[in-house]
Every structure is written in C-alpha cells, then in structure tokens.
Amino acid sequence: MSSNSFAYNEQSGGGEATELGQEATSTISPSGAFGLFSSDMKKNEDLKQMLESNKDSAKLDAMKRIVGMIAKGKNASELFPAVVKNVASKNIEIKKLVYVYLVRYAEEQQDLALLSISTFQRALKDPNQLIRASALRVLSSIRVPIIVPIMMLAIKEASADLSPYVRKNAAHAIQKLYSLDPEQKEMLIEIIEKLLKDKSTLVAGSVVMAFEEVCPDRIDLIHKNYRKLCNLLVDVEEWGQVVIIHMLTRYARTQFVSPWKEGDGLEDNEKDFYDSDEEQKEKADKRKRPYTMDPDHRLLIRNTKPLLQSRNAAVVMAVAQLYWHIAPKSEAGIISKSLVRLLRSNREVQYIVLQNIATMSIQRKGMFEPYLKSFYVRSTDPTMIKILKLEILTNLANEANISTLLREFQTYVKSQDKQFAAATIQTIGRCATSITEVSDTCLNGLVCLLSNRDEIVVAESVVVIKKLLQMQPIQHGEIIKHMAKLLDSITVPVARASILWLIGENCERVPKIAPDVLRKTAKSFTSEDDLVKLQILNLGAKLYLTNSKQTKLLTQYILNLGKYDQNYDIRDRTRFIRQLIVPNEKSGALSKYAKKIFLAQKPAPLLESPFKDRDHFQLGTLSHTLNTKATGYLELSNWPEVAPDPSVRNVEVIELAKEWTPAGKAKKENPDEKFYSESEEEEDSSESSSDSESASGSESGEDEEEDHSGDSGEDSGESGSESEAGKGRAAKHAKARGKGDSKDVDKEKENSKSSESSSGESSSIEESSSDSESESESESESESRTITKAKEKKTKQDRNPLTKDVSLLDLDDFNPVSSPVVLPTPALSPSLIADLEGLNLSATSSVISVSTPVFVPGKTHVLLHRMSGKGLAAHYFFPRQPCIFGDKMVSVQITLNNTTDQKIENIHVGGKKLPMGMQMHVFNPIESLEPAGSITVSVGIDFCDSTQTASFQLCTKDDCFSVNIQPPVGELLLPVAMSEKDFKKEQGLQLKLCTVGH
C-alpha cells in the first residue's frame, strides 16, 4: 500500500512539475534506477505537452530542445508522433525544425511518416524555397518502395525549380532513390543529364556526386559540360570541388593522351626481333613526334591550380592527386609545397597526407627534397605519424643527405616509444641497402646497438643485421661470432631465431662455434618458442650434413624431442628432416640431395618500402589508404594511345546561327528597314535573342572575343583597354561608312578581312578554349560601356563640329590637335551596315543623356612626393566632372603644396611623353607659391579610351621632375541615363557588334 501511494505521489508531483515546465526529480526513491527512469519520462512528457500546446512559442522551444538532443546523440524517437502532428504548422521556424527531425527518424518510423505524405507533397509547392527543399529531403528519407513513383515525380519537379537550393536537394534525392530502387536508373540519368547543364555553382557539386553514384561510366554526359565544370570549379562549395575534381581526373585519363611520353622511358636502340624496318621507322617517328597538350587538358590543370591555396585539406589533396595523375611531370612539383602546408593540420589530416607523400616520394624524390626538414619527427607526434615520416625520410635519402639523416636516426633510436625505435632500426637497414657508401657505417652502428639494454632494440637490430649479412656474409665473420655470444642474453624469440638461422647458414665459416651453439640450444629445446624450435631443427640438420662427427648425436637427440612436441608443425618438420638427412630403407631419392637442399644459396632479401605497391590506386582514396580495393572504388583507366575526338566537348550555339542565316540576310537587304523597330514584338525578339546569345556564348567557353583580345594584347603589345577602345569606335565608323558609296564599303570589307585574318593567325587555340564565363561577361559589359561612351562623344561632335576641343573659358591656351589614330575596325557584313543606318544617334536622340555622378571618391593619388620634388608635393584626383578643355578629355585636378620655408617660383608643365594619339591640356604657369602654400589647378587628358600612362614633367624655376598619371578604368566612363527600352536596344547592338566583329 505504501508503495502504491508513493507511486501516486510521484506521478502527481511530476504532473505539477511538467505544468511548470520544469524537470522534476525524486528526492526520496526506493531505488536509484527508478528515480532516473522517472526523471527521463518527465522530460519527455514535458516536451510532448509543449508540442501539443496552442502557443507557437512553446512548440518552437520544444523543437529546439529536441533538435539539440539529436545533435548530442540522444534518442528522441519516442517523440515522433508528437512531432509529426506539427508538420502542417504555419510557423516557418517550427516547420523547418520538424523537417530536420523527420529527416533523422523518417526511416525508423516509416508507418507514421507515410501518414504525412500529403503534407509533404503540399510543401513541395510552398513559396519558401527552404520548405520545398526540406519536404523533398524528408520524402526521400522515407525508404518505402511504395512511394517510389511519388519520389520520382517530386525529383522531376524539383530539378526544374527556380531555386538552385531546391535543385541541389533534388540531386541529393537522386542518390537516395537509386539506392532504394535501382530499376529507376534510366529515368534518373535523364534528370542527371538535365541538372548537369545547370549553371549554378550550388548545384554543380551535388549533381556530379549523383552522377558518380548512379552512372559513373556515362562519360558522354560530361562532354558538353566539361568546360563549364572547369570554369565553375573555383566558385563551387568545397566538398563539391572534391567530387568534381575526382570525376574530372577520371575523365581526363580517358579523353587525353599521356603528357608523360617525352623522356619518360629509356630509349631502346636495339631492334625488336620480329619488327620489320617499316615498323621500326614508325616507332622512331612516334618518339620524335612532339607532344602537344590538348587545350581542354590544359584548361583543367590551369583552373585547379588556385585551389591548392584552399583552406580545406580535402580540396588540396584532390588537386594534388589530379596533378599527380594527369599533369606533366615537370609541373607536378608545385603540389609539394601545398601538401607540406597540410602537415600543420590535425593528426588525422597529417596521417592521410603523409601516406600520399610516402607514395609520391618513391617515384619522384626531387619534389620533396627541399622540404626534408619538414618530415623530421617531433616527440609529440603519435607513433603512426612518426613511422610515416620515417618512411618518407628513407625514400628521400641519397648520398648528399644520408649523413644528416643518420644523425637524426641516431636520436630516434633512443626514443621511449619502442615501436618507433624498432621502425628506426629497420629504416637504417633500408638506407644501408639502398646507399652502398654507408653500408659498413650502418652495420657497425647496428652492432653497437646489440649491447643496448632494451630487448626490443636488440632484437630488431639482430633481424636487420641478419638481412644485411645475407648480402655480404664473407666479409663479416666476426659479427657472426659476436652475435653467437649474445644468444645467452637475448630472450626475444625473433632475435634468437635470426641468430640461429644466421649461424646455420654460415656454419662452415664458424666450425667451432656452431656445434657449441647447438649443444646449448638442445638443453633448452623444450622451453623455447615454436619459432626458435624450428630454427634449432634447421641448425641441427645443417650441422649433421657438414660436421656429422661432432653433431650426429646432438641432432638425433633434438629430432627425438621434436617428434613428440605439442605443435604439429614441429612434429612434421622433425619427420621430414629425419627422412631427408638420415638415410634408411624407406628414404627416397631426395636424400641424395639433402645437402643441396639445406645449404643452397639463398637470395638476399629486398628491403622495400611498404608503399611501393600502392601507386596503382588513385591517391587520396580509401583504397590507397587501406592498400586494398574498397567497395565502390573506380579505377583510373590507362591513357589512350590516340586521343578521342575533342569536338564532342564543343557546345553548339544554335541561336547565333539563326540570327545570321542567308535567309535573314536576304530579308534585311532593304536599307530603309530598321534592325530594331519601335514595336514591342521586335523589342522582345531582340531581347530574347541577345540574352540567348550571351548565355550560349558564356556556356560554351569558346568566346572568340576574349581570344582575340587576349592574344592581340600579348602579340602586339597593346593593352586590353586599347582593344576595347577600338571596338568602341567601331559603331561610329560603321555609321559614317554606312551612308557612303559601295566602293568605300567594299574597300573597308577587304581591309577588315585582312586584319581579321592576321589577328586570327596570331590567336592561340589553347587560350580560346579556356575562357571562363565570368571573364566573358565582364569583358562584354566593359565593352558595352566603352562603346556607349564613344557613341556619346560622336554625338557631341556632331552637335558642335566647329568647336572641337575649344574651351570658351581659356582661348589663349588652345592648341590645334592632330587627328586621332584610328585603330583597325572589325569586319562588318553589308546587312549589319544596312541595319546600323537606321539607328538614330543624332542630337535629338533620347538614348543617351549625361547625368551627374552619384558618387565622387575623395581618394587622392600621389603625383610627386615632397622628398622627390625637393619640397614641392603634388597630388591628383578625378572630380568626375565634364572637362572644360574638350569633350574627349578627362578632368584631373592637381593640388600643389610648398613644404619648404622658401618661395617656389615658375611652376609649370615641361616636356610631355605621351603615347600616339593621347593629348593633354596643361594649366597656366604659376608664378610663385609661398611657403606652406597650396594651390589647385585643372588639366585635361585624352587617354584615347585606354589605361595608358600619361608621362610629363612638372617643372619649377630650377628643377624638372618626371611624373605619371594612369587612370583607373572607371574614370574613363561617363554616367549615362537612359530608359530600360533604350538600354535593351543598345545592349543588343553592342552584342552584335562584338560577335560579328570577331
């Protein structure tokens, strides 16, 4: 009765506590276990009541606590019914947290989750992109085959969603659906193919991951998207970069030829036995044929290089393996510095990076030799990290650094970490075998270690010495005698077995010591380790065959002991040896060759790196770490002998082809018909065509505009701004020539074609294929602004043709200007010239109107420092106001300061060194500038729409100082106000000018 009343009081007290939202604990409990269980139950009851509350604040608080429990690893599955009731909550914050909970427990509570499928389907239409994405995640987490059609339909709709975040979650759901129902593979591949064309960096990594899970062998899906993925790679989130880089590595190994052919193998001058003279000639031609890297191959290598500076270790490791597997060997060295930088990370990262460096250092030592000290072992390193560093130091050892490394190893042997000390001894043995100059030094050092107090160090030294003596046993008889004396003190089974094997192998060189060793071991045979017993049997057999008089009885005694040993291996070995060395009636023909069998010359062991056989696994993968093929590992294919057709990666520009068909040309032959009419239909069509052209041009990655501008800047020494200025003047020249006679037009066409062909010959195929989307868009926008400004200047010149560059405020300073240099204009088709005739760029045009600048930076630039100017200091800035000296000139204000205590007289502008076509209007000479005085003057400079430097001299009465003014690109542009309709017209025109001109 008392127990029941206590339970009743406990429950009632708990109920009051839950109403107050507090955690009730029992102060008096018959058992600690019952009190703890009661407390947990009250916590969950508290949360359930909060979830059933009518207040959103209570529900939100409960969901936050539940998600916190999940984050801490606590089980919250019993709250599933209470949580799922709130799946239709109108509060977005609550709904988000409910979806987070459902993603975690939907697979465990499938029956309850299925009851809410209609809610999830409605949420897929929610205006909030986070809700749509969360609903798709929950739906794909309910792993029930019956809802596969619903999931497929949801993924299809989400893959076409306007939000890239939802499309990203659609890519994640593809993998879940494929694991649930592999039969949906074909339909999922169609969705993957669609998502691969997505231009959003948010989607790229996720869809490539889906591609790797569902159809990694469908390389054909990557062809059209290869260049886009290369160009987007820098902007993709970090884990997406890792997936894309690994996929592109496999892609490159199937689509490009090996860049390692030159100098990779040894030249074989001997003729193959079965090869004819013609076949030998073909082989020789292949060797002499120069290797030319595919532009797409170079694009991948170049675009991944910046990611070596990533803060994510996985990204750096992915780029490193890409360079290792597909880059020319001469360029792979740049990854070493980045990998060494990762050694400052946590231990887990260090372990993986060191494993990969160990594999790399076997084949290419030169990559990591400059960073030798980075692999020195620190006392705080874990044992596995120490052993990996030892491995790398051994691989990097050579005649030049071996003395330094041996001194380092001498310190490591004294380490308290016995496993590390043993590994160091093995390392010394490997150095002795690989570098013959230090073999004797290493051997003597190991012999000194035999007197060490630590049995593990002595045992490992014995094993290594045994391997070294196998290589040159004749020269080291004294060492064998010394090791025989140590047999009494060494207790480690491996070391004792090694000494016995060594004495037995060289029993003829130590005829006095070997029988005595057999006598001592015969006494302790029954108490020895199984490994030592086997070597005692071998030693007895060898001495029986070489020194039968002294050891015959001892050998028979040992064989009798072994006959009744508990280990069946020892019993079998004993019977085998007895039948082989002691002839009798039952002995076979082998007994005649017993001496040759036991005393045969054995090959010296090869002390090789354990990482030698891992190079056939792709670096950075789990298979490489485990040194075995893991589930899901995709092997790298061998390089193809002949590269597949590179044209499969070209993206067709269909829209441009429609605009410039012969039919369209015939349609526009009427000179009175305008290319852009004022009607809304033509405006819409021109807008859509221009948008599609820009999109397709940037997606293809083969924008010839960037190619020509980049190459011309490199070949002829002109800057990119000059080429843009030439493009800007194209519209003015085209309009002026459009109304001329046909002879001028034909002549101009011939000149344009010749200039275009010359520039085309100097263009580089490699650069054209690697143009990125961002570069294409930025250049096209800057060119549009430059052309707009050039057309504006042309309009102003048409208004006042007689007052060109004349300032009414300062007629005395007017200087006649020479005609500007006209850069070669791009080729224009007759149809485009006819279209340009209809454009209205007169003074009454509403397209362009100069507006006041919205923002004028107050930053000034140093023109002349007071130390260089002997007390005269000069600063300049751009006021962004129309220049009073000429329409083409940029206004520059110069502030002159006298920092001396004396007057500066006759400040003026002296000699000018301006590029061709550039002009400058200077300020009037200043008679004097008082001490600590300051004066501001204005100058005008025509930079010819380029960022070339204007060089001139700022002079005083006594001295002249050379100064320079170089304008930023933004200061060359005028603020222009125009309507949206006019902007779209101009945008379409500039795009066609740029496209046709190149």
Side-chain angles (χ1 to χ4, degrees):
M1 182 69 183
S2 59
S3 61
N4 294 335
S5 63
F6 176 81
Y8 174 79
N9 293 333
E10 185 75 23
Q11 293 174 359
S12 62
E16 294 174 358
T18 53
E19 290 177 359
L20 298 173
Q22 299 175 351
E23 297 178 1
T25 57
S26 175
T27 57
I28 302 174
S29 175
S31 66
F34 179 77
L36 179 63
F37 176 77
S38 169
S39 176
D40 289 342
M41 286 299 297
K42 289 172 183 175
K43 286 182 183 178
N44 293 337
E45 288 296 329
D46 179 21
L47 292 172
K48 289 178 181 178
Q49 289 187 11
M50 294 174 69
L51 289 172
E52 293 174 358
S53 172
N54 294 327
K55 297 180 180 179
D56 285 348
S57 59
K59 293 181 179 180
L60 184 60
D61 186 35
M63 286 308 305
K64 287 180 179 179
R65 289 170 57 185
I66 293 171
V67 173
M69 291 171 57
I70 296 173
K72 292 178 182 178
K74 297 181 180 179
N75 185 13
S77 58
E78 64 179 16
L79 294 170
F80 194 94
V83 172
V84 80
K85 291 178 183 177
N86 295 280
V87 72
S89 174
K90 295 182 179 179
N91 189 306
I92 294 180
E93 295 299 323
I94 295 176
K95 185 175 287 189
K96 289 179 185 177
L97 295 175
V98 169
Y99 281 159
V100 171
Y101 178 90
L102 293 177
V103 168
R104 169 64 180 83
Y105 290 108
E107 187 172 353
E108 298 179 12
Q109 305 279 350
Q110 294 178 356
D111 294 338
L112 291 174
L114 285 173
L115 298 176
S116 304
I117 282 189
S118 59
T119 306
F120 302 143
Q121 289 178 300
R122 287 196 302 271
L124 290 172
K125 307 293 185 181
D126 195 278
N128 191 319
Q129 60 175 351
L130 297 178
I131 299 299
R132 297 199 302 273
S134 299
L136 182 60
R137 279 206 305 271
V138 177
L139 196 61
S140 59
S141 299
I142 306 174
R143 302 180 60 78
V144 180
I146 196 173
I147 65 168
V148 166
I150 299 176
M151 291 174 59
M152 177 62 73
L153 182 61
I155 293 173
K156 281 185 177 180
E157 293 179 353
S159 64
D161 197 280
L162 294 177
S163 170
Y165 182 67
V166 177
R167 300 199 297 273
K168 175 186 179 73
N169 281 274
H172 292 165
I174 288 175
Q175 305 170 53
K176 297 180 181 179
L177 179 55
Y178 178 71
S179 63
L180 179 62
D181 187 6
E183 295 182 359
Q184 305 294 326
K185 181 176 181 178
E186 294 302 323
M187 297 180 67
L188 292 176
I189 290 178
E190 295 178 3
I191 302 175
I192 290 174
E193 184 176 8
K194 176 183 178 182
L195 288 175
L196 280 172
K197 300 176 182 178
D198 201 303
K199 298 179 183 178
S200 174
T201 56
L202 197 63
V203 182
S206 301
V207 67
V208 171
M209 188 65 200
F211 169 83
E212 292 283 85
E213 289 289 332
V214 178
C215 53
D217 55 335
R218 288 289 305 272
I219 296 295
D220 57 295
L221 300 180
I222 306 298
H223 290 323
K224 299 293 184 182
N225 304 287
Y226 171 81
R227 293 169 185 164
K228 183 195 70 176
L229 289 173
C230 290
N231 292 325
L232 290 180
L233 192 56
V234 179
D235 299 319
V236 176
E237 47 91 18
E238 294 170 343
W239 295 112
Q241 290 174 343
V242 175
V243 176
I244 294 175
I245 290 173
H246 278 280
M247 185 273 293
L248 292 179
T249 303
R250 290 193 303 108
Y251 180 88
R253 289 290 290 257
T254 61
Q255 300 300 311
F256 309 126
V257 295
S258 173
W260 307 332
K261 288 187 176 179
E262 30 182 18
D264 226 19
L266 299 176
E267 292 292 335
D268 187 10
N269 295 324
E270 297 183 4
K271 176 181 175 181
D272 292 338
F273 184 79
Y274 292 104
D275 283 357
S276 62
D277 293 338
E278 295 180 357
E279 291 174 342
Q280 285 292 323
K281 189 175 180 181
E282 289 179 2
K283 291 182 178 179
D285 292 341
K286 287 183 179 179
R287 290 196 201 102
K288 295 178 181 178
R289 193 179 303 157
Y291 168 74
T292 302
M293 181 175 285
D294 190 291
D296 289 330
H297 192 174
R298 172 59 61 191
L299 172 67
L300 176 58
I301 294 174
R302 182 170 60 248
N303 284 13
T304 52
K305 183 178 180 181
L307 297 181
L308 288 172
Q309 309 300 323
S310 175
R311 63 182 179 179
N312 190 308
V315 176
V316 178
M317 192 66 247
V319 177
Q321 65 84 24
L322 180 139
Y323 266 78
W324 180 262
H325 291 298
I326 72 167
K329 292 185 177 180
S330 59
E331 300 179 21
I334 65 171
I335 67 175
S336 55
K337 185 176 182 180
S338 300
L339 290 177
V340 171
R341 174 173 63 87
L342 295 181
L343 298 181
R344 302 172 186 171
S345 305
N346 52 48
R347 295 175 178 179
E348 293 78 11
V349 173
Q350 287 185 51
Y351 180 75
I352 298 299
V353 172
L354 287 171
Q355 277 198 327
N356 287 274
I357 293 178
T359 301
M360 295 178 185
S361 59
I362 296 174
Q363 298 183 16
R364 305 179 196 173
K365 295 184 178 181
M367 284 176 53
F368 297 97
E369 282 184 4
Y371 308 100
L372 186 68
K373 292 185 178 179
S374 301
F375 304 109
Y376 284 177
V377 176
R378 297 175 298 180
S379 58
T380 57
D381 291 335
T383 302
M384 293 306 300
I385 299 294
K386 292 178 181 178
I387 294 176
L388 284 173
K389 288 186 175 181
L390 269 181
E391 181 66 31
I392 296 171
L393 290 174
T394 309
N395 294 338
L396 298 180
N398 54 33
E399 292 82 356
N401 58 28
I402 186 61
S403 59
T404 305
L405 292 179
L406 287 178
R407 285 196 297 271
E408 192 75 13
F409 295 158
Q410 190 174 0
T411 306
Y412 299 162
V413 171
K414 302 175 184 178
S415 173
Q416 297 298 321
D417 188 343
K418 302 309 175 187
Q419 186 180 358
F420 172 58
T424 303
I425 295 172
Q426 296 176 7
T427 296
I428 295 174
R430 282 180 54 194
C431 291
T433 57
S434 60
I435 305 173
T436 56
E437 289 80 356
V438 296
S439 296
D440 294 338
T441 305
C442 294
L443 191 57
N444 294 332
L446 292 173
V447 172
C448 294
L449 291 177
L450 295 177
S451 58
N452 196 292
R453 295 181 181 179
D454 193 337
E455 291 184 356
I456 297 178
V457 173
V458 175
E460 200 64 42
S461 301
V462 169
V463 175
V464 175
I465 289 173
K466 179 198 106 174
K467 295 178 180 178
L468 293 178
L469 292 183
Q470 281 185 258
M471 302 178 183
Q472 39 188 358
I474 302 176
Q475 306 174 10
H476 302 288
E478 293 298 324
I479 295 178
I480 298 174
K481 294 178 182 178
H482 180 65
M483 294 177 67
K485 295 177 183 178
L486 293 174
L487 197 61
D488 296 335
S489 58
I490 295 177
T491 59
V492 180
V494 178
R496 292 178 65 82
S498 298
I499 294 175
L500 291 173
W501 183 91
L502 197 60
I503 293 173
E505 197 68 17
N506 299 276
C507 58
E508 294 179 344
R509 297 187 180 90
V510 285
K512 296 180 180 180
I513 295 177
D516 194 49
V517 170
L518 182 64
R519 178 183 61 80
K520 291 182 179 181
T521 53
K523 291 181 181 180
S524 60
F525 181 85
T526 55
S527 61
E528 295 285 357
D529 188 85
D530 292 344
L531 185 64
V532 180
K533 288 179 181 179
L534 291 174
Q535 292 304 326
I536 293 173
L537 290 171
N538 287 339
L539 175 62
K542 292 174 183 177
L543 288 175
Y544 185 91
L545 295 172
T546 57
N547 191 357
S548 178
K549 293 181 180 180
Q550 289 183 300
T551 60
K552 182 176 181 180
L553 295 177
L554 279 174
T555 303
Q556 290 179 352
Y557 172 73
I558 292 171
L559 292 175
N560 289 333
L561 291 176
K563 183 178 180 181
Y564 301 102
D565 196 88
Q566 294 181 355
N567 190 299
Y568 60 86
D569 285 333
I570 296 174
R571 296 197 301 269
D572 291 346
R573 178 70 63 87
T574 300
R575 295 188 183 96
F576 170 74
I577 291 176
R578 184 187 295 276
Q579 293 296 326
L580 197 60
I581 66 175
V582 183
N584 55 31
E585 298 177 357
K586 298 180 180 179
S587 298
L590 280 180
S591 59
K592 300 178 182 178
Y593 308 100
K595 192 170 184 178
K596 291 184 178 181
I597 292 173
F598 279 101
L599 300 176
Q601 189 69 28
K602 285 137 181 108
L606 295 177
L607 303 179
E608 295 180 340
S609 169
F611 290 86
K612 184 177 181 181
D613 297 331
R614 297 194 187 190
D615 53 356
H616 60 276
F617 290 116
Q618 185 175 352
L619 295 183
T621 60
L622 179 62
S623 298
H624 177 268
T625 302
L626 302 177
N627 197 21
T628 185
K629 188 174 180 179
T631 304
Y633 174 73
L634 300 173
E635 293 185 357
L636 285 177
S637 61
N638 295 326
W639 294 100
E641 290 293 332
V642 180
D645 185 13
S647 63
V648 295
R649 289 182 289 277
N650 295 338
V651 180
E652 299 178 2
V653 187
I654 303 175
E655 285 77 3
L656 285 177
K658 290 181 180 179
E659 286 292 338
W660 300 101
T661 53
K665 179 178 176 182
K667 180 181 178 181
K668 298 185 183 72
E669 286 179 353
N670 184 5
D672 296 332
E673 184 180 354
K674 294 183 180 180
F675 187 84
Y676 292 102
S677 67
E678 297 296 327
S679 65
E680 291 296 325
E681 293 180 358
E682 294 188 3
E683 179 182 347
D684 294 339
S685 63
S686 63
E687 178 185 350
S688 62
S689 63
S690 63
D691 290 342
S692 60
E693 287 173 4
S694 62
S696 59
S698 60
E699 181 181 352
S700 65
E702 297 180 330
D703 193 353
E704 297 179 0
E705 174 184 333
E706 289 183 37
D707 185 22
H708 285 283
S709 64
D711 294 336
S712 63
E714 293 175 1
D715 299 338
S716 63
E718 296 175 358
S719 65
S721 300
E722 290 178 308
S723 62
E724 290 179 4
K727 296 170 187 174
R729 296 187 183 93
K732 296 188 291 185
H733 294 305
K735 179 180 177 183
R737 290 193 301 270
K739 296 184 179 180
D741 57 359
S742 59
K743 293 182 179 180
D744 294 335
V745 174
D746 295 337
K747 185 176 180 180
E748 182 63 24
K749 283 175 60 180
E750 295 175 1
N751 295 337
S752 301
K753 288 181 179 178
S754 63
S755 66
E756 185 180 9
S757 61
S758 63
S759 64
E761 293 173 358
S762 63
S763 63
S764 168
I765 299 176
E766 187 173 300
E767 290 296 321
S768 67
S769 65
S770 65
D771 292 333
S772 65
E773 287 186 12
S774 59
E775 293 173 345
S776 175
E777 292 174 2
S778 61
E779 285 192 20
S780 63
E781 289 175 5
S782 62
E783 287 173 4
S784 300
R785 291 194 295 269
T786 307
I787 296 175
T788 303
K789 182 179 176 183
K791 293 173 72 175
E792 177 187 350
K793 292 178 179 178
K794 176 66 178 175
T795 304
K796 291 183 177 180
Q797 292 172 11
D798 292 341
R799 291 179 188 170
N800 301 313
L802 300 178
T803 60
K804 182 179 181 181
D805 291 339
V806 178
S807 173
L808 299 179
L809 301 178
D810 193 6
L811 294 175
D812 295 336
D813 293 336
F814 171 72
N815 294 321
V817 295
S818 58
S819 59
V821 178
V822 179
L823 299 177
T825 58
L828 300 177
S829 64
S831 60
L832 183 59
I833 294 175
D835 297 334
L836 293 175
E837 289 180 4
L839 292 175
N840 185 10
L841 297 178
S842 62
T844 60
S845 174
S846 62
V847 174
I848 297 176
S849 62
V850 180
S851 61
T852 58
V854 178
F855 171 75
V856 179
K859 181 181 178 181
T860 60
H861 308 273
V862 177
L863 182 64
L864 179 64
H865 194 271
R866 61 184 180 84
M867 299 298 293
S868 303
K870 296 181 179 181
L872 177 63
H875 296 77
Y876 69 93
F877 79 100
F878 298 92
R880 295 189 178 176
Q881 296 293 337
C883 183
I884 61 175
F885 306 119
D887 294 338
K888 291 186 177 182
M889 290 189 174
V890 177
S891 180
V892 183
Q893 290 190 4
I894 302 176
T895 301
L896 303 170
N897 297 305
N898 184 0
T899 61
T900 65
D901 54 358
Q902 297 179 0
K903 184 186 298 184
I904 299 178
E905 299 179 347
N906 192 19
I907 303 175
H908 62 280
V909 175
K912 295 178 286 187
K913 298 180 180 179
L914 303 177
M916 184 177 295
M918 187 179 293
Q919 299 176 24
M920 179 177 179
H921 189 283
V922 302
F923 56 88
N924 291 327
I926 301 171
E927 295 182 2
S928 63
L929 187 60
E930 298 296 328
S934 177
I935 188 172
T936 300
V937 295
S938 296
V939 298
I941 305 176
D942 181 7
F943 290 97
C944 293
D945 293 335
S946 70
T947 56
Q948 297 182 90
T949 303
S951 302
F952 58 93
Q953 288 185 333
L954 190 60
C955 302
T956 62
K957 181 179 179 182
D958 303 319
D959 301 289
C960 287
F961 311 100
S962 297
V963 294
N964 300 310
I965 294 179
Q966 184 174 13
V969 176
E971 302 298 343
L972 299 176
L973 307 178
L974 284 177
V976 175
M978 64 174 65
S979 64
E980 182 181 359
K981 179 179 178 182
D982 294 329
F983 173 78
K984 290 178 178 178
K985 285 186 179 182
E986 291 295 315
Q987 187 183 37
L989 171 64
Q990 308 310 333
L991 179 62
K992 293 187 181 299
L993 282 174
C994 297
T995 305
V996 179
H998 288 279

